[in-house]
Amino acid sequence: MQKNKTVIKLHKPDTSELMFFFACGAIISVPLTLFIYQYTDTLLTGLDSFPITLISSALFAPFIEEFAKAYPLFYRHDETQGSIFNLALLVGLGFGTVELLTYVSALGVPIASRLPGLFFHPASTSITAYGIATKRPLPFYMAAVSLHFTSLHFTSLHFSYNFLAVIGSGYGFLSGIFVVAIAVFASWQLRNATREKIVI
């Protein structure tokens, strides 16, 4: 007796879907981040402006931004692990692009100092995406927020990147490049671990 078989074709995002997720990073994740920031600054009322900037940018930002970038990834249908990972890269790139343009055009920050973000945001978003794709979002979200530099320092990649951007020193920039390199390397390793397996 022969059983009936159903073949499900793997869904591959087309150009319009890829553009949609890039746009999500730009027009959903960024406003969501800014909306939440309003309330974190309100919670810190009474402190001097530097501690508020430091706490908001360096401590809260990793949690807020990584959540805001991962949020669009929960809108998906029959994607493979690899597709979710690739969509995350686009969401992060959309977010990083708007962040770069905002810092450069609105705040007058030199473009070179913000270019690392174009690599950092896609990489960190893809780390969270790997967790979503493998049904373990929380540990990989936390990994995106706080990867360890050494066994002695528990320093978040995002915390370090944002903190170094706030203090703006030459050493900070070089350290920031090192942080970005670690995030990109982690992303690359996780990309190699994805499978063409549908995430249900």
PDB file of all heavy atoms in Angstrom, residues 139-163:
ATOM      1  N   PRO A 139      18.008  33.217  24.478  1.00  0.00           N
ATOM      2  CA  PRO A 139      19.463  33.178  24.664  1.00  0.00           C
ATOM      3  C   PRO A 139      20.238  33.916  23.572  1.00  0.00           C
ATOM      4  O   PRO A 139      21.265  34.559  23.856  1.00  0.00           O
ATOM      5  CB  PRO A 139      19.812  31.690  24.652  1.00  0.00           C
ATOM      6  CG  PRO A 139      18.560  30.937  24.526  1.00  0.00           C
ATOM      7  CD  PRO A 139      17.428  31.891  24.405  1.00  0.00           C
ATOM      8  N   PHE A 140      19.741  33.858  22.342  1.00  0.00           N
ATOM      9  CA  PHE A 140      20.472  34.529  21.266  1.00  0.00           C
ATOM     10  C   PHE A 140      20.213  36.036  21.270  1.00  0.00           C
ATOM     11  O   PHE A 140      21.073  36.819  20.876  1.00  0.00           O
ATOM     12  CB  PHE A 140      20.160  33.880  19.916  1.00  0.00           C
ATOM     13  CG  PHE A 140      20.852  32.562  19.756  1.00  0.00           C
ATOM     14  CD1 PHE A 140      20.221  31.381  20.124  1.00  0.00           C
ATOM     15  CD2 PHE A 140      22.152  32.499  19.284  1.00  0.00           C
ATOM     16  CE1 PHE A 140      20.871  30.160  20.015  1.00  0.00           C
ATOM     17  CE2 PHE A 140      22.811  31.290  19.172  1.00  0.00           C
ATOM     18  CZ  PHE A 140      22.168  30.117  19.540  1.00  0.00           C
ATOM     19  N   TYR A 141      19.027  36.431  21.734  1.00  0.00           N
ATOM     20  CA  TYR A 141      18.761  37.855  21.942  1.00  0.00           C
ATOM     21  C   TYR A 141      19.730  38.389  23.001  1.00  0.00           C
ATOM     22  O   TYR A 141      20.350  39.438  22.815  1.00  0.00           O
ATOM     23  CB  TYR A 141      17.310  38.054  22.382  1.00  0.00           C
ATOM     24  CG  TYR A 141      17.030  39.416  22.970  1.00  0.00           C
ATOM     25  CD1 TYR A 141      16.942  40.547  22.162  1.00  0.00           C
ATOM     26  CD2 TYR A 141      16.863  39.565  24.344  1.00  0.00           C
ATOM     27  CE1 TYR A 141      16.685  41.794  22.707  1.00  0.00           C
ATOM     28  CE2 TYR A 141      16.603  40.807  24.893  1.00  0.00           C
ATOM     29  CZ  TYR A 141      16.521  41.923  24.080  1.00  0.00           C
ATOM     30  OH  TYR A 141      16.270  43.152  24.624  1.00  0.00           O
ATOM     31  N   MET A 142      19.853  37.652  24.094  1.00  0.00           N
ATOM     32  CA  MET A 142      20.772  38.076  25.150  1.00  0.00           C
ATOM     33  C   MET A 142      22.221  38.055  24.656  1.00  0.00           C
ATOM     34  O   MET A 142      23.020  38.899  25.051  1.00  0.00           O
ATOM     35  CB  MET A 142      20.613  37.188  26.392  1.00  0.00           C
ATOM     36  CG  MET A 142      19.280  37.376  27.106  1.00  0.00           C
ATOM     37  SD  MET A 142      18.916  39.094  27.534  1.00  0.00           S
ATOM     38  CE  MET A 142      20.220  39.429  28.715  1.00  0.00           C
ATOM     39  N   ALA A 143      22.541  37.094  23.787  1.00  0.00           N
ATOM     40  CA  ALA A 143      23.896  37.061  23.219  1.00  0.00           C
ATOM     41  C   ALA A 143      24.150  38.288  22.360  1.00  0.00           C
ATOM     42  O   ALA A 143      25.244  38.855  22.391  1.00  0.00           O
ATOM     43  CB  ALA A 143      24.102  35.786  22.405  1.00  0.00           C
ATOM     44  N   ALA A 144      23.141  38.705  21.596  1.00  0.00           N
ATOM     45  CA  ALA A 144      23.282  39.912  20.773  1.00  0.00           C
ATOM     46  C   ALA A 144      23.466  41.140  21.659  1.00  0.00           C
ATOM     47  O   ALA A 144      24.188  42.062  21.308  1.00  0.00           O
ATOM     48  CB  ALA A 144      22.068  40.085  19.865  1.00  0.00           C
ATOM     49  N   VAL A 145      22.787  41.131  22.805  1.00  0.00           N
ATOM     50  CA  VAL A 145      22.887  42.261  23.723  1.00  0.00           C
ATOM     51  C   VAL A 145      24.213  42.223  24.488  1.00  0.00           C
ATOM     52  O   VAL A 145      24.859  43.226  24.692  1.00  0.00           O
ATOM     53  CB  VAL A 145      21.684  42.261  24.703  1.00  0.00           C
ATOM     54  CG1 VAL A 145      21.877  43.273  25.813  1.00  0.00           C
ATOM     55  CG2 VAL A 145      20.389  42.564  23.959  1.00  0.00           C
ATOM     56  N   SER A 146      24.613  41.065  24.905  1.00  0.00           N
ATOM     57  CA  SER A 146      25.818  41.030  25.748  1.00  0.00           C
ATOM     58  C   SER A 146      26.725  39.838  25.450  1.00  0.00           C
ATOM     59  O   SER A 146      26.656  38.812  26.101  1.00  0.00           O
ATOM     60  CB  SER A 146      25.426  41.034  27.222  1.00  0.00           C
ATOM     61  OG  SER A 146      24.806  39.844  27.607  1.00  0.00           O
ATOM     62  N   LEU A 147      27.534  39.999  24.427  1.00  0.00           N
ATOM     63  CA  LEU A 147      28.569  39.015  24.144  1.00  0.00           C
ATOM     64  C   LEU A 147      29.771  39.331  25.029  1.00  0.00           C
ATOM     65  O   LEU A 147      30.030  40.495  25.341  1.00  0.00           O
ATOM     66  CB  LEU A 147      28.964  39.070  22.663  1.00  0.00           C
ATOM     67  CG  LEU A 147      27.876  38.638  21.682  1.00  0.00           C
ATOM     68  CD1 LEU A 147      28.284  38.943  20.255  1.00  0.00           C
ATOM     69  CD2 LEU A 147      27.580  37.172  21.846  1.00  0.00           C
ATOM     70  N   HIS A 148      30.512  38.350  25.339  1.00  0.00           N
ATOM     71  CA  HIS A 148      31.650  38.576  26.237  1.00  0.00           C
ATOM     72  C   HIS A 148      32.936  38.779  25.449  1.00  0.00           C
ATOM     73  O   HIS A 148      33.244  38.029  24.544  1.00  0.00           O
ATOM     74  CB  HIS A 148      31.832  37.381  27.177  1.00  0.00           C
ATOM     75  CG  HIS A 148      30.616  37.074  27.952  1.00  0.00           C
ATOM     76  ND1 HIS A 148      30.134  35.817  28.127  1.00  0.00           N
ATOM     77  CD2 HIS A 148      29.745  37.877  28.593  1.00  0.00           C
ATOM     78  CE1 HIS A 148      29.047  35.844  28.839  1.00  0.00           C
ATOM     79  NE2 HIS A 148      28.798  37.085  29.127  1.00  0.00           N
ATOM     80  N   PHE A 149      33.700  39.799  25.831  1.00  0.00           N
ATOM     81  CA  PHE A 149      35.012  40.020  25.225  1.00  0.00           C
ATOM     82  C   PHE A 149      36.002  39.001  25.763  1.00  0.00           C
ATOM     83  O   PHE A 149      36.758  38.389  25.033  1.00  0.00           O
ATOM     84  CB  PHE A 149      35.563  41.413  25.559  1.00  0.00           C
ATOM     85  CG  PHE A 149      34.979  42.487  24.729  1.00  0.00           C
ATOM     86  CD1 PHE A 149      34.253  43.496  25.306  1.00  0.00           C
ATOM     87  CD2 PHE A 149      35.171  42.489  23.364  1.00  0.00           C
ATOM     88  CE1 PHE A 149      33.726  44.503  24.538  1.00  0.00           C
ATOM     89  CE2 PHE A 149      34.639  43.488  22.581  1.00  0.00           C
ATOM     90  CZ  PHE A 149      33.914  44.496  23.174  1.00  0.00           C
ATOM     91  N   THR A 150      36.056  38.887  27.065  1.00  0.00           N
ATOM     92  CA  THR A 150      36.992  37.952  27.688  1.00  0.00           C
ATOM     93  C   THR A 150      36.279  37.252  28.818  1.00  0.00           C
ATOM     94  O   THR A 150      35.165  37.611  29.194  1.00  0.00           O
ATOM     95  CB  THR A 150      38.220  38.679  28.283  1.00  0.00           C
ATOM     96  OG1 THR A 150      37.773  39.476  29.380  1.00  0.00           O
ATOM     97  CG2 THR A 150      38.928  39.540  27.262  1.00  0.00           C
ATOM     98  N   SER A 151      36.894  36.257  29.387  1.00  0.00           N
ATOM     99  CA  SER A 151      36.286  35.559  30.513  1.00  0.00           C
ATOM    100  C   SER A 151      36.277  36.431  31.764  1.00  0.00           C
ATOM    101  O   SER A 151      35.561  36.158  32.712  1.00  0.00           O
ATOM    102  CB  SER A 151      37.042  34.261  30.803  1.00  0.00           C
ATOM    103  OG  SER A 151      38.388  34.556  31.087  1.00  0.00           O
ATOM    104  N   LEU A 152      37.067  37.508  31.767  1.00  0.00           N
ATOM    105  CA  LEU A 152      37.126  38.375  32.939  1.00  0.00           C
ATOM    106  C   LEU A 152      36.144  39.527  32.868  1.00  0.00           C
ATOM    107  O   LEU A 152      35.700  40.027  33.888  1.00  0.00           O
ATOM    108  CB  LEU A 152      38.545  38.948  33.103  1.00  0.00           C
ATOM    109  CG  LEU A 152      39.644  37.923  33.320  1.00  0.00           C
ATOM    110  CD1 LEU A 152      40.992  38.617  33.350  1.00  0.00           C
ATOM    111  CD2 LEU A 152      39.399  37.156  34.605  1.00  0.00           C
ATOM    112  N   HIS A 153      35.860  39.985  31.628  1.00  0.00           N
ATOM    113  CA  HIS A 153      34.938  41.115  31.458  1.00  0.00           C
ATOM    114  C   HIS A 153      33.640  40.623  30.859  1.00  0.00           C
ATOM    115  O   HIS A 153      33.628  40.005  29.821  1.00  0.00           O
ATOM    116  CB  HIS A 153      35.517  42.171  30.511  1.00  0.00           C
ATOM    117  CG  HIS A 153      36.601  42.976  31.107  1.00  0.00           C
ATOM    118  ND1 HIS A 153      36.645  43.335  32.422  1.00  0.00           N
ATOM    119  CD2 HIS A 153      37.722  43.498  30.557  1.00  0.00           C
ATOM    120  CE1 HIS A 153      37.723  44.053  32.649  1.00  0.00           C
ATOM    121  NE2 HIS A 153      38.388  44.153  31.539  1.00  0.00           N
ATOM    122  N   PHE A 154      32.546  40.962  31.498  1.00  0.00           N
ATOM    123  CA  PHE A 154      31.239  40.688  30.925  1.00  0.00           C
ATOM    124  C   PHE A 154      30.752  42.002  30.336  1.00  0.00           C
ATOM    125  O   PHE A 154      30.093  42.787  30.992  1.00  0.00           O
ATOM    126  CB  PHE A 154      30.268  40.155  31.971  1.00  0.00           C
ATOM    127  CG  PHE A 154      30.633  38.816  32.455  1.00  0.00           C
ATOM    128  CD1 PHE A 154      31.449  38.661  33.552  1.00  0.00           C
ATOM    129  CD2 PHE A 154      30.200  37.697  31.777  1.00  0.00           C
ATOM    130  CE1 PHE A 154      31.814  37.400  33.992  1.00  0.00           C
ATOM    131  CE2 PHE A 154      30.567  36.439  32.202  1.00  0.00           C
ATOM    132  CZ  PHE A 154      31.368  36.287  33.309  1.00  0.00           C
ATOM    133  N   THR A 155      31.171  42.228  29.101  1.00  0.00           N
ATOM    134  CA  THR A 155      30.888  43.492  28.441  1.00  0.00           C
ATOM    135  C   THR A 155      30.032  43.236  27.222  1.00  0.00           C
ATOM    136  O   THR A 155      30.376  42.437  26.387  1.00  0.00           O
ATOM    137  CB  THR A 155      32.195  44.176  28.008  1.00  0.00           C
ATOM    138  OG1 THR A 155      33.048  44.265  29.143  1.00  0.00           O
ATOM    139  CG2 THR A 155      31.933  45.565  27.478  1.00  0.00           C
ATOM    140  N   SER A 156      28.940  43.936  27.145  1.00  0.00           N
ATOM    141  CA  SER A 156      28.059  43.768  25.996  1.00  0.00           C
ATOM    142  C   SER A 156      28.679  44.400  24.767  1.00  0.00           C
ATOM    143  O   SER A 156      29.210  45.498  24.814  1.00  0.00           O
ATOM    144  CB  SER A 156      26.721  44.438  26.286  1.00  0.00           C
ATOM    145  OG  SER A 156      26.140  44.958  25.152  1.00  0.00           O
ATOM    146  N   LEU A 157      28.578  43.721  23.617  1.00  0.00           N
ATOM    147  CA  LEU A 157      29.046  44.308  22.357  1.00  0.00           C
ATOM    148  C   LEU A 157      28.328  45.623  22.105  1.00  0.00           C
ATOM    149  O   LEU A 157      28.940  46.624  21.776  1.00  0.00           O
ATOM    150  CB  LEU A 157      28.752  43.359  21.201  1.00  0.00           C
ATOM    151  CG  LEU A 157      29.701  42.194  20.997  1.00  0.00           C
ATOM    152  CD1 LEU A 157      29.241  41.371  19.815  1.00  0.00           C
ATOM    153  CD2 LEU A 157      31.110  42.665  20.785  1.00  0.00           C
ATOM    154  N   HIS A 158      27.025  45.580  22.271  1.00  0.00           N
ATOM    155  CA  HIS A 158      26.254  46.775  21.960  1.00  0.00           C
ATOM    156  C   HIS A 158      26.517  47.860  22.996  1.00  0.00           C
ATOM    157  O   HIS A 158      26.645  49.031  22.674  1.00  0.00           O
ATOM    158  CB  HIS A 158      24.772  46.423  21.904  1.00  0.00           C
ATOM    159  CG  HIS A 158      24.002  47.331  21.026  1.00  0.00           C
ATOM    160  ND1 HIS A 158      22.921  46.935  20.293  1.00  0.00           N
ATOM    161  CD2 HIS A 158      24.159  48.637  20.729  1.00  0.00           C
ATOM    162  CE1 HIS A 158      22.447  47.955  19.614  1.00  0.00           C
ATOM    163  NE2 HIS A 158      23.179  48.995  19.867  1.00  0.00           N
ATOM    164  N   PHE A 159      26.607  47.453  24.268  1.00  0.00           N
ATOM    165  CA  PHE A 159      26.928  48.405  25.320  1.00  0.00           C
ATOM    166  C   PHE A 159      28.252  49.100  24.997  1.00  0.00           C
ATOM    167  O   PHE A 159      28.365  50.305  25.051  1.00  0.00           O
ATOM    168  CB  PHE A 159      27.033  47.686  26.666  1.00  0.00           C
ATOM    169  CG  PHE A 159      27.491  48.574  27.784  1.00  0.00           C
ATOM    170  CD1 PHE A 159      26.573  49.242  28.563  1.00  0.00           C
ATOM    171  CD2 PHE A 159      28.835  48.746  28.052  1.00  0.00           C
ATOM    172  CE1 PHE A 159      26.988  50.068  29.599  1.00  0.00           C
ATOM    173  CE2 PHE A 159      29.264  49.571  29.080  1.00  0.00           C
ATOM    174  CZ  PHE A 159      28.342  50.236  29.859  1.00  0.00           C
ATOM    175  N   SER A 160      29.249  48.309  24.637  1.00  0.00           N
ATOM    176  CA  SER A 160      30.569  48.869  24.347  1.00  0.00           C
ATOM    177  C   SER A 160      30.520  49.787  23.145  1.00  0.00           C
ATOM    178  O   SER A 160      31.080  50.876  23.158  1.00  0.00           O
ATOM    179  CB  SER A 160      31.577  47.752  24.064  1.00  0.00           C
ATOM    180  OG  SER A 160      31.632  46.890  25.151  1.00  0.00           O
ATOM    181  N   TYR A 161      29.852  49.352  22.089  1.00  0.00           N
ATOM    182  CA  TYR A 161      29.784  50.152  20.872  1.00  0.00           C
ATOM    183  C   TYR A 161      29.129  51.495  21.158  1.00  0.00           C
ATOM    184  O   TYR A 161      29.638  52.544  20.774  1.00  0.00           O
ATOM    185  CB  TYR A 161      29.021  49.393  19.788  1.00  0.00           C
ATOM    186  CG  TYR A 161      29.017  50.131  18.483  1.00  0.00           C
ATOM    187  CD1 TYR A 161      30.157  50.180  17.686  1.00  0.00           C
ATOM    188  CD2 TYR A 161      27.886  50.820  18.054  1.00  0.00           C
ATOM    189  CE1 TYR A 161      30.169  50.881  16.499  1.00  0.00           C
ATOM    190  CE2 TYR A 161      27.894  51.519  16.872  1.00  0.00           C
ATOM    191  CZ  TYR A 161      29.028  51.544  16.093  1.00  0.00           C
ATOM    192  OH  TYR A 161      29.045  52.240  14.926  1.00  0.00           O
ATOM    193  N   ASN A 162      28.008  51.476  21.885  1.00  0.00           N
ATOM    194  CA  ASN A 162      27.303  52.720  22.194  1.00  0.00           C
ATOM    195  C   ASN A 162      28.091  53.586  23.172  1.00  0.00           C
ATOM    196  O   ASN A 162      28.185  54.794  23.012  1.00  0.00           O
ATOM    197  CB  ASN A 162      25.917  52.431  22.756  1.00  0.00           C
ATOM    198  CG  ASN A 162      24.953  52.011  21.669  1.00  0.00           C
ATOM    199  OD1 ASN A 162      25.310  52.008  20.506  1.00  0.00           O
ATOM    200  ND2 ASN A 162      23.765  51.636  22.046  1.00  0.00           N
ATOM    201  N   PHE A 163      28.686  52.954  24.192  1.00  0.00           N
ATOM    202  CA  PHE A 163      29.454  53.708  25.169  1.00  0.00           C
ATOM    203  C   PHE A 163      30.642  54.395  24.506  1.00  0.00           C
ATOM    204  O   PHE A 163      30.900  55.572  24.727  1.00  0.00           O
ATOM    205  CB  PHE A 163      29.931  52.790  26.296  1.00  0.00           C
ATOM    206  CG  PHE A 163      30.821  53.495  27.279  1.00  0.00           C
ATOM    207  CD1 PHE A 163      30.287  54.398  28.196  1.00  0.00           C
ATOM    208  CD2 PHE A 163      32.186  53.274  27.287  1.00  0.00           C
ATOM    209  CE1 PHE A 163      31.105  55.059  29.097  1.00  0.00           C
ATOM    210  CE2 PHE A 163      33.003  53.937  28.187  1.00  0.00           C
ATOM    211  CZ  PHE A 163      32.462  54.823  29.101  1.00  0.00           C
TER     212      PHE A 163
END
